[in-house]
C-alpha cells in the first residue's frame, strides 16, 4: 500500500505491517495499491479500522506511526495435541507481550482503555483461551472472517463468517474442529467505549452536527495543509521497498 498525505508524509507498507494514523485536526491522505509484481496476482487483504477520539483530542495534531511486521509481537501457542494457534498483536497486550505504543493522542495509547487488535489463525484441532478483558465495560467482538471450516467458542459452533459479541468478563475458549479442511482466521477488536455523542458525515466524526459543519468549513478554508503531490493518486517507485517518511523528513525502514 502506498500512502501519501497533506503533511508531506508518505510510506509503503504491506506483508503484515500496520499503520497507525491519528487524523486529529485534519489530514488528507491517499492509499494506492501499486502492482509491484508485474507477473503475479498482487493479492491484498486489508483491514481499515476506525478508532474514534474523545472530544478533548479531536483537535490534536495529526500523527502516524508504523508497526512493521518484524516488530509486531507474535505468539505461537501449541496445544497438547501439537496443533498451532498463531496470534499477531497490533494493539493491547497478551501473554506479557505488547507492541510499541500508537500515536500519543490515540484512544489506544491509554492502557486503561484496554484496546486490543489481535489477528488469530488456528489450524484444525487447535484451541486457545482468550483471557478476560480488563472489566465489564469493555466492548469485545471476535470476527470470524476467513478459512475453511467452522469455529467453536465453548458450546457454540459458528459455521458462517460473522462478528461475535463476547462477554468481556470471562475467558473465551476458542477451538478449531479437527475436521476443518484448513486454518481459520479471526480478528479480535476490543476497547472501552468513549461514551460521548457521535456525529458522522463523510470522513468526519465529531460530537455534534455543528462540529461537522465546522469541519467542512475548516477543510474548505485550509485543505488541511494543501496537497504537496503532483497528482491526486500518487504511487512510489516500484523498487522503493517498504519505508515511511514522516512530516519532519525522518525516514524509517523495517529492521533499521
Amino acid at each position: 500500500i502506498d500512502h501519501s498525505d497533506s503533511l508531506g508524509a508518505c510510506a509503503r507498507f504491506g506483508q503484515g505491517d500496520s499503520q497507525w494514523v491519528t487524523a486529529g485536526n485534519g489530514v488528507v491522505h491517499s492509499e494506492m495499491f501499486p502492482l509491484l509484481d508485474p507477473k503475479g496476482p498482487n493479492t491484498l487483504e486489508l483491514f481499515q479500522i476506525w478508532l474514534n477520539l474523545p472530544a478533548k483530542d479531536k483537535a490534536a495534531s495529526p500523527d502516524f506511526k508504523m508497526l512493521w511486521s518484524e516488530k509486531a509481537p507474535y505468539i505461537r501457542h501449541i496445544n497438547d495435541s501439537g496443533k498451532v494457534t498463531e496470534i499477531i498483536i497490533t494493539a493491547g497486550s497478551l501473554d506479557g507481550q505488547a507492541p510499541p505504543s500508537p500515536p500519543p493522542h490515540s484512544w489506544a495509547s491509554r492502557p486503561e482503555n484496554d484496546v486490543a487488535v489481535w489477528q488469530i489463525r488456528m489450524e484444525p484441532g487447535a484451541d486457545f483461551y482468550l483471557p478476560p478483558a480488563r472489566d465489564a465495560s469493555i466492548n469485545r467482538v471476535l470476527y470470524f472472517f476467513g478459512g475453511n471450516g467452522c469455529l467453536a467458542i465453548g458450546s457454540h459452533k459458528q459455521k458462517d463468517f460473522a462478528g461475535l459479541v463476547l462477554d468481556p468478563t470471562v475467558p473465551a475458549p476458542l477451538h478449531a474442529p479437527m475436521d476443518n479442511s484448513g486454518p481459520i482466521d479471526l480478528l479480535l477488536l476490543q476497547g472501552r467505549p468513549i461514551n460521548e455523542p457521535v456525529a458522522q458525515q463523510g470522513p468526519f466524526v465529531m460530537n455534534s452536527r455543528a462540529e461537522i459543519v465546522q469541519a467542512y468549513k475548516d477543510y474548505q478554508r485550509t485543505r488541511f495543509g494543501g496537497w504537496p503531490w503532483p497528482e491526486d493518486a500518487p504511487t512510489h517507485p516500484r523498487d522503493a521497498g517498504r519505508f515511511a517518511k514522516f512530516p519532519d523528513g525522518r525516514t524509517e525502514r523495517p529492521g533499521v
Side-chain angles (χ1 to χ4, degrees), residues 153-190:
I153 307 176
S155 61
H156 175 77
K157 196 169 186 178
Q158 183 67 38
K159 296 181 180 180
D160 300 321
F161 296 159
L164 306 165
V165 179
L166 304 181
D167 182 343
T169 66
V170 297
L174 308 182
H175 177 67
M178 194 66 190
D179 57 0
N180 283 357
S181 60
I184 58 174
D185 291 306
L186 315 169
L187 175 69
L188 179 87
L189 299 181
Q190 74 173 39

Side-chain angles (χ1 to χ4, degrees), residues 67-233:
L67 174 58
W68 305 109
S69 59
E70 292 86 347
K71 294 184 178 180
Y74 169 80
I75 293 174
R76 180 180 171 89
H77 171 77
I78 303 175
N79 66 10
D80 292 340
S81 300
K83 304 303 180 181
V84 176
T85 298
E86 298 174 289
I87 304 174
I88 298 172
I89 305 171
T90 303
S93 62
L94 181 65
D95 287 353
Q97 296 196 54
S101 178
H105 291 283
S106 171
W107 188 245
S109 67
R110 302 169 177 88
E112 65 272 17
N113 294 332
D114 206 17
V115 173
V117 181
W118 302 339
Q119 301 171 63
I120 304 169
R121 171 165 286 187
M122 306 180 73
E123 69 177 12
D127 50 37
F128 186 80
Y129 274 78
L130 289 176
R134 181 178 289 255
D135 57 58
S137 71
I138 304 300
N139 289 334
R140 173 177 262 196
V141 181
L142 182 69
Y143 293 90
F144 175 27
F145 71 89
N148 301 287
C150 65
L151 164 70
I153 307 176
S155 61
H156 175 77
K157 196 169 186 178
Q158 183 67 38
K159 296 181 180 180
D160 300 321
F161 296 159
L164 306 165
V165 179
L166 304 181
D167 182 343
T169 66
V170 297
L174 308 182
H175 177 67
M178 194 66 190
D179 57 0
N180 283 357
S181 60
I184 58 174
D185 291 306
L186 315 169
L187 175 69
L188 179 87
L189 299 181
Q190 74 173 39
R192 187 179 307 282
I194 295 175
N195 288 328
E196 293 179 353
V198 174
Q200 184 272 330
Q201 184 173 332
F204 300 116
V205 182
M206 306 299 288
N207 296 101
S208 69
R209 175 64 185 169
E211 290 174 346
I212 290 287
V213 172
Q214 186 61 50
Y216 274 101
K217 289 180 177 178
D218 291 344
Y219 171 67
Q220 291 164 353
R221 177 174 53 85
T222 69
R223 299 295 178 183
F224 296 153
W227 189 247
W229 307 99
E231 52 188 297
D232 289 339

Side-chain angles (χ1 to χ4, degrees), residues 2-11 19 21-31 61-64 204 218-219 222-232 234 236 245-248:
D2 280 4
H3 168 94
S4 306
D5 66 40
S6 57
L7 303 178
C10 57
Q19 183 190 48
V21 177
T22 297
N25 62 11
V27 60
V28 179
H29 57 98
S30 163
E31 272 71 46
S61 297
D63 198 358
F64 86 87
F204 300 116
D218 291 344
Y219 171 67
T222 69
R223 299 295 178 183
F224 296 153
W227 189 247
W229 307 99
E231 52 188 297
D232 289 339
H236 311 314
K245 182 179 179 181
F246 297 90
D248 61 3

